[in-house]
Every structure is written in structure tokens, then in C-alpha cells.
Amino acid sequence: MITIKDIARVAGVSHTTVSRALNGNPLIKKETRDRIEKIAAEMNYIPNYSAKSLVMKKSYTIGLFFSSIDQGTTASFLVDAIKGIHHVLDENYSLTVHGIDSIQHFDAIMPQRFDGILVMSQSDEDNAFIYHVKKMCIPLVVLNRQLEDTGIMNVVANDRIGVMEAIDYAASQGHSRFAIIEGRAGFKSSIERKQGFIDSLIAHRLPLIPEYFAAGDYAVESGYTAMCSLLALPEPPSIVFCANDDMAIGAMNACYAQGITIPEQLSLIGFDDIVFARYTNPALTTIHRPVADISKLGTTKLIELMKDPDTPPQQLFVNTTLMVRQSVAAV
Amino acid sequence: MITIKDIARVAGVSHTTVSRALNGNPLIKKETRDRIEKIAAEMNYIPNYSAKSLVMKKSYTIGLFFSSIDQGTTASFLVDAIKGIHHVLDENYSLTVHGIDSIQHFDAIMPQRFDGILVMSQSDEDNAFIYHVKKMCIPLVVLNRQLEDTGIMNVVANDRIGVMEAIDYAASQGHSRFAIIEGRAGFKSSIERKQGFIDSLIAHRLPLIPEYFAAGDYAVESGYTAMCSLLALPEPPSIVFCANDDMAIGAMNACYAQGITIPEQLSLIGFDDIVFARYTNPALTTIHRPVADISKLGTTKLIELMKDPDTPPQQLFVNTTLMVRQSVAAV
DNA sequence: ATGGAAAATGCACACGTGAAAAATATTTCA
DNA sequence: TGAAATATTTTTCACGTGTGCATTTTCCAT
């Protein structure tokens, strides 16, 4: 491996000059710089990141942390996040992926190892981690879950409003017996989506019926189970809002199994707009959650924060979009 | 940040002794070691990985490379891979995720930055990258795509045999007019799955009908399109094998659209066994691809290789499993 | 006690880089 | 032409860690 010292020897200058030349330091005469850059290129010089890290106290690493990699995180969510970040992130940063639930010692999370951290947060339980990062003064952006603390950069989709729009739409189609299959207990998104559901019903002066609130955990299977229990009610709902598409697919399946046709006998609304949503039968009307956009914006903000740690924290909202397809009937 | 020198001062020894004590070097007296370890713990010492890296020429980083993050890589594939790896990987290694297609300069891929590399390979086009890694002498395991070169550690599912089993099963159900919707051109998996399809038909002395070979690219939409063209044939097939589940879902959708019922009028087989496969209507009969198992085994092998670079390379096969559900009818 | 081997520890340096301070070269101005 | 001012480069040191070799301490057999 060749180093700046090797280049210095060839160029007949000191290694410091080489370092400066290669890092765009204005103290170097233009012709010297050009000559050194040429030599460096010819010698195929590649900087040693370990050495750089040691002296600069930078790691050239961005950490992406999910609440959990195994549980409650749908595949498309994780992938869209990674895609979004890669889209914005400079090539000489590398992105490491972690699950908060599998971290043994927070001590290993320190400025030395991460220039910046993105937390794809789903639950309050991440707070311990988030505050550790903050205490360590590592530039931090929390994505996807709205924080009470306005001292932290935060990028989220406005789930609640997204749901309200969807319910408004369904109400405009004449529906009045609304049920919900809720998300995983403890997840902020579950609460928000439920609240949007409730708010919209209240705004339309529709009744909140306790039996129409079914528990779920974001997994496909839980949608199936919850739908079965809803269908077993003496008077089933005319429309069911599922807190994510995975559960909506499970729910749809339960309907097939019981010979209920969608949307004629029962309407269905999902949340997320995963790839498969447009390929269910009928195609699922759902709320598009802009995970990739959130990730992109979050990464942009993180980069700002790394450049200038005093950038004032903001709470940024990214809009959801209602995707009207075929799973809601007019009644 | 506290360093071994700080500990040395407190313990009244040299930093060398501290370094040795903390790294389990046998030259240190047991009681000295115990004392130093105690002090280190009390002082909350955390080693500086940059310095370690510099001196040890290790990075404590494993790179996971996909052919592409954006294209042709399904979400569940990426996620299952990450999960599998995390399951095996030691906590003080971090995992970075990359798309080969977005690497600008291979020069940045060097031993200094990666202790080991896992390539989730889908296409021959990855070879340039793979050989670069090999040339750099970075411990390497290639997953998912079978290589001709037996000099590289390689873990793959036996796609071909998996497909053959599935076609055998379908033949045993009385089918004889078999069609295929192929995977993305250029991907090894596409070729293997197609070959399994062909081999099985030949073994059953069934005809290979050119019109029954439809092109696809692993995306849901391409399954839809391909199925439309198959259904437009004067004499459509009685069963269609789709090279992955995503396309099978697209294909299923095309059937809905044209009022063809599955499996009564047309049978369908997928490949991968994604989460949603059991929730299609009817549930999709498919071939389970053990991505997580491949990743786990591959990671284990990579760790072996990192410990002892002379570990002889192997080609390891992980079995697929036929998941019989409801999309294939007996005729 | 004493020599000598064995065990334990310390010294000095290396890794590749960047930065402050010092040195040298060049330009400017009177 | 010479001093002051400025531009450029070099010297020296630091970052935190591990290692070969020298040094000290310990222990045992004499």
C-alpha cells in the first residue's frame, strides 16, 4: 500500500505538503498541487481511512438503527429506508445496519465509530438509545416516529392526517360502520393511525364502537385473525381500516376463506402502499407512506448536522398520499 | 475519552502492560491482569477502533454487497439476508450494505476497509467485482449464485433441483402443458430455474413448446404482462411456473383480470416462498428458498476464512423445499 | 548468599495522517 | 538594494494502539 510519504519522496516534497495538496488546502501553490495530484493518481494512491479516522476523529460511517431487525419491521420498510439513504449518501461514507434490540452495550455507540446516526424508530423503547446517542453528541436524526422532544431532528410522515383523509374518502362513499385493525401495541405509528381513525369518525359524527377496534401487530397473520373476529360479530362493519398493508392482506385472506367478497360485502383500506398492494384482488386502496422520501430528507438533514452541529433541530413532515384503488365500494 | 495510557498511569504500569493485559497476552502476571482489568472497567475504558485498525490492519467491518439495491432485488431477499447475517455475526463487527452497481471505484474496496466480504450475487456481471475482491486478498464468500470458479467459497441453494421437484409434483398431478415465466435475463438464477424446468420436462418426456417460454424480469409487473401473453395463445398452458413469487403474484392478477380462476382453469407455481405466498388467493404453491440459511452458513464460512485464510474453498448447497398449497390442481 | 534461568514489565518505535510552529523562499515597496 | 511582508514548504509533534527487544524482577537450585 502506498502512502503520502511515498508520494512525497517521489515528488521531492514533505509528506505534509502532499497531505495539504490532496486535501485542497489553499496554502499550496497551484502548480505544486497539480504535480502532486498527478503523481498520486499515477501511483494509485488511496488514503488510509484508519489513519485518517484516528487523527480526524471521524469514522466515515453512518449508522442506521432500526428498533428491531427481526420483529415488527416489514421487509419493504427496511429496504426502502436503505434505498433512500443510499440515494443521498456520498460514496465515501459507508452505511452500517443495526437493530437496537440486539445492542449489548451502548458504550460501543460513540462518536469515534459513527459520524452520524439515523434511527428508524418505531417505539418509545428506542428512547434510551436515542438519548444515549444525544448524550454522546453524535449527530442524530430520528425518522418515522414523532418525538415529544423538539431538541432532536425528526422527520416523520403525518400518519394521522393520512388516515383521516382515507376515512374521509370512505365516508364520502357512504360508509358509516367503520372498524380498525390496529398496529403493534407500543408502536407510535399504531397510536397515530388509530387516532387519525378516531378523529375522522368524530368529525363525521359517527359512533365509536368498541367491538370494532381489533388488535393486531403488523404481521400478516394478525390481520387474518383480527378480521375473523370482526366477521364473527353479530353486526359486522361495512369497512375495515388496517393499520398496515400486510395486515390488510391477511384480512383479505380471511374474507376469502369465509366467502366474503371485497368490496361488495366489505370494504378494506390499508396503510403503507407496499408493492403488492396494487396486485391484490381487488387492488387495495391504501395510504402511501413515503419511506424513501423520509429517508432521503432525513439523510440530507443528517449531513447538514454533521457539517454544522449547531443546525437547529426541526420537526419535518412528509406527506402521505391516498391511493384509491378497488377495495372500497360506494354504498 | 480515556485511553490505555490513562489506565497505565492509574495502575502504575506502562501502557504496554495494559495493552497486553487487556488483550489476553500470556506474558502478564495474573494478578496484574486482574488489577488492570478492574481499573479499565471502573474507568469505563473503550478501545479506540481507529487506532486498533491502523496498527492491526483490521477494520472490524464486514461488507455485504448486492448486485444492485434498486433493481431485481426483492425486499424480502435483502432483509432475510441481513437477518441471517446478524444472527451469526459477532457484535463487535459491523455490517455495511452496498450495491455493486453503485460502486464508482473498485479501489475503495480493499483489505484495510473490509475484514471480509459477502457477495449476494445475482448476475455474472458481479464477476469483475468478485475478482477484484479476490485479487485484494480479502476473505470472500459468494452467496446465492453458483460460480464456475471452485477457488472461491460459494454457498447456494440448489434452485435447479428445487424446480425439478416442483415440476415433478405438478406432473404427478396430471399436468402436461407446462409454461414458464422466466427471471431477469442475465441472472444466473433465471438460467438455473429455467434449466430445472426443462430438465424435468425432458425427464417426463413432455414436449418443450417455444411459445410457452415467456420472458420476465422478477418484477411483479413483468409477471402480469407475461401471463397476459400466455393467456392470449390459441392453446394456453394448463400450468405456469413463475421464476419467483413476485411474478407469480403479477401472473395471478392477470388471471383475475381475465376471469380465469386458479387453480381450476390454470395452475400456478412460484419460487422463493415470500411471506405473502401463503396469503394469495388461492395460496401459492411455491419453492422455499432458504435465504436466511444461506446467509447464516455463508457468514459462518466467512468467519472461518477470516480466522484462517487458507481454509480450502468449498461449494455448499442448501436445500430448497417444495411448499404445496392450493394453486396447483389435479387434472 | 549467589548465580542463572525464567517470568514479568518497560522502552522505543511504527502505523498513516493532519496541524501548529518554524523555516525558507518569494514578492513587494520604498 | 534591502527590509518588510507575504507565500510556500518543512519540521516536529500528536492521535491510540500493538510489538520486538531490552531490562528488571522473581524464583529456584546450588
Side-chain angles (χ1 to χ4, degrees):
Chain A
M1 271 300 99
I2 87 135
T3 74
I4 53 173
K5 287 184 184 169
D6 299 326
I7 298 177
R9 202 173 316 116
V10 173
V13 297
S14 76
H15 80 271
T16 307
T17 303
V18 177
S19 170
R20 291 212 179 97
L22 263 29
N23 289 318
N25 187 309
L27 290 180
I28 302 297
K29 208 198 311 185
K30 176 153 183 358
E31 55 190 83
T32 312
R33 173 194 314 282
D34 291 346
R35 191 162 53 88
I36 290 177
E37 279 177 348
K38 184 149 163 286
I39 295 174
E42 275 168 4
M43 294 179 75
N44 253 308
Y45 168 71
I46 305 151
N48 180 319
Y49 277 79
S50 306
K52 257 188 138 88
S53 297
L54 179 59
V55 90
M56 306 286 281
K57 296 171 191 323
K58 280 192 58 174
S59 61
Y60 299 94
T61 299
I62 304 290
L64 171 61
F65 290 79
F66 290 89
S67 298
S68 165
I69 290 199
D70 292 320
Q71 291 171 11
T73 303
T74 57
S76 65
F77 180 65
L78 198 147
V79 173
D80 286 345
I82 293 177
K83 280 187 191 173
I85 295 168
H86 267 276
H87 201 264
V88 178
L89 203 62
D90 187 330
E91 202 207 0
N92 49 21
Y93 276 90
S94 52
L95 180 72
T96 63
V97 180
H98 314 257
I100 294 177
D101 60 350
S102 66
I103 300 173
Q104 310 272 337
H105 309 290
F106 280 1
D107 297 335
I109 313 301
M110 45 179 165
Q112 197 175 91
R113 297 202 74 175
F114 298 97
D115 288 348
I117 284 183
L118 289 166
V119 179
M120 262 293 174
S121 183
Q122 313 208 87
S123 151
D124 291 348
E125 290 174 25
D126 301 336
N127 283 348
F129 175 77
I130 290 171
Y131 283 108
H132 171 83
V133 174
K134 196 182 175 192
K135 201 178 68 193
M136 289 278 143
C137 297
I138 306 174
L140 166 71
V141 178
V142 177
L143 308 178
N144 191 62
R145 178 174 67 95
Q146 192 174 352
L147 301 175
E148 273 81 30
D149 188 336
T150 54
I152 295 173
M153 191 76 83
N154 194 196
V155 182
V156 292
N158 207 324
D159 284 15
R160 192 189 301 206
I161 292 187
V163 174
M164 287 178 70
E165 282 173 13
I167 304 297
D168 286 352
Y169 160 75
S172 77
Q173 299 294 303
H175 286 276
S176 61
R177 300 204 316 285
F178 285 84
I180 179 176
I181 298 179
E182 301 179 27
R184 176 175 262 253
F187 277 24
K188 180 75 174 176
S189 57
S190 310
I191 299 170
E192 282 292 305
R193 293 172 199 180
K194 181 181 181 179
Q195 198 58 50
F197 177 78
I198 292 174
D199 288 355
S200 187
L201 290 194
I202 291 174
H204 289 279
R205 303 180 190 286
L206 290 169
L208 302 175
I209 303 161
E211 292 76 36
Y212 284 2
F213 287 73
D217 65 5
Y218 285 142
V220 187
E221 188 60 32
S222 75
Y224 188 99
T225 317
M227 182 55 97
C228 289
S229 67
L230 289 173
L231 292 177
L233 291 175
E235 188 183 29
S238 74
I239 182 164
V240 177
F241 163 63
C242 302
N244 78 350
D245 288 351
D246 285 40
M247 292 195 298
I249 287 175
M252 199 175 267
N253 219 255
C255 292
Y256 295 145
Q258 310 213 2
I260 310 280
T261 61
I262 299 173
E264 291 77 11
Q265 294 176 262
L266 184 74
S267 293
L268 209 55
I269 297 179
F271 195 109
D272 274 355
D273 191 25
I274 63 175
V275 193
F276 298 115
R278 74 180 67 193
Y279 294 101
T280 55
N281 182 32
L284 185 65
T285 291
T286 187
I287 298 145
H288 177 77
R289 174 166 63 147
V291 180
D293 292 338
I294 292 175
S295 308
K296 278 186 212 164
L297 182 55
T299 309
T300 309
K301 285 296 165 188
L302 183 65
I303 292 169
E304 264 182 59
L305 215 47
M306 292 186 326
K307 282 198 184 120
D308 172 18
D310 296 327
T311 309
Q314 301 171 273
Q315 272 205 326
L316 298 167
F317 290 89
V318 179
N319 285 334
T320 58
T321 316
L322 179 62
M323 311 299 291
V324 175
R325 300 206 177 96
Q326 277 85 50
S327 64
V328 175
V331 291
Chain B
M1 268 303 97
I2 87 137
T3 73
I4 53 172
K5 288 184 184 170
D6 300 325
I7 298 177
R9 203 174 315 116
V10 173
V13 297
S14 75
H15 79 273
T16 307
T17 303
V18 176
S19 170
R20 292 209 177 102
L22 262 31
N23 289 318
N25 187 309
L27 290 180
I28 303 297
K29 209 200 308 184
K30 176 153 184 358
E31 55 191 83
T32 312
R33 152 168 304 121
D34 290 347
R35 192 162 53 91
I36 291 177
E37 278 176 349
K38 185 148 163 285
I39 295 174
E42 275 167 6
M43 296 180 73
N44 254 308
Y45 168 71
I46 304 152
N48 181 319
Y49 276 80
S50 306
K52 260 186 135 87
S53 296
L54 180 58
V55 123
M56 307 287 283
K57 297 173 190 322
K58 279 192 61 174
S59 61
Y60 300 93
T61 299
I62 303 290
L64 171 61
F65 290 79
F66 290 88
S67 299
S68 165
I69 290 200
D70 292 320
Q71 290 170 11
T73 302
T74 58
S76 65
F77 180 66
L78 198 147
V79 173
D80 286 344
I82 294 177
K83 280 187 192 174
I85 294 167
H86 266 277
H87 201 264
V88 178
L89 203 61
D90 188 331
E91 202 208 0
N92 49 21
Y93 277 90
S94 51
L95 181 72
T96 63
V97 180
H98 314 258
I100 293 177
D101 60 349
S102 66
I103 301 174
Q104 311 272 337
H105 309 289
F106 280 0
D107 297 336
I109 312 301
M110 46 178 163
Q112 196 175 91
R113 296 202 76 175
F114 297 98
D115 288 347
I117 284 182
L118 289 166
V119 180
M120 261 294 174
S121 182
Q122 313 207 87
S123 151
D124 290 348
E125 290 173 25
D126 302 336
N127 284 347
F129 176 77
I130 290 172
Y131 283 108
H132 171 83
V133 174
K134 196 183 175 190
K135 199 177 71 193
M136 290 279 143
C137 296
I138 306 174
L140 166 70
V141 178
V142 177
L143 308 179
N144 191 61
R145 179 174 67 93
Q146 191 174 351
L147 300 174
E148 274 81 30
D149 188 336
T150 53
I152 297 173
M153 191 78 82
N154 195 197
V155 182
V156 293
N158 207 325
D159 284 15
R160 191 190 299 207
I161 292 186
V163 174
M164 287 178 70
E165 282 173 12
I167 304 298
D168 287 352
Y169 160 75
S172 78
Q173 299 294 302
H175 286 278
S176 60
R177 299 205 315 286
F178 285 84
I180 178 175
I181 299 179
E182 301 180 29
R184 177 176 262 254
F187 277 23
K188 180 75 175 179
S189 57
S190 311
I191 299 170
E192 281 291 306
R193 293 171 200 180
K194 180 181 182 179
Q195 198 57 51
F197 177 78
I198 293 175
D199 288 354
S200 187
L201 290 193
I202 291 175
H204 288 279
R205 301 179 190 289
L206 290 168
L208 302 176
I209 303 161
E211 293 76 34
Y212 284 1
F213 287 73
D217 66 5
Y218 284 143
V220 187
E221 188 61 32
S222 74
Y224 188 99
T225 317
M227 182 56 97
C228 289
S229 67
L230 288 175
L231 291 177
L233 291 174
E235 187 183 30
S238 73
I239 181 165
V240 177
F241 163 63
C242 302
N244 78 350
D245 288 351
D246 285 39
M247 293 195 298
I249 288 174
M252 201 175 266
N253 219 256
C255 292
Y256 294 146
Q258 311 213 1
I260 308 281
T261 61
I262 298 173
E264 290 76 11
Q265 294 177 260
L266 184 73
S267 292
L268 210 55
I269 296 179
F271 195 109
D272 274 356
D273 191 26
I274 63 173
V275 191
F276 297 114
R278 74 180 68 193
Y279 293 100
T280 55
N281 182 32
L284 185 65
T285 291
T286 188
I287 298 144
H288 176 77
R289 176 166 62 147
V291 180
D293 292 338
I294 290 176
S295 308
K296 278 186 213 164
L297 182 56
T299 309
T300 310
K301 285 295 165 190
L302 183 64
I303 293 170
E304 264 182 58
L305 215 48
M306 291 185 329
K307 283 200 184 120
D308 172 19
D310 296 327
T311 309
Q314 301 171 273
Q315 271 206 327
L316 297 167
F317 289 90
V318 179
N319 285 334
T320 58
T321 317
L322 179 63
M323 310 299 290
V324 175
R325 299 207 178 94
Q326 276 86 51
S327 65
V328 175
V331 292

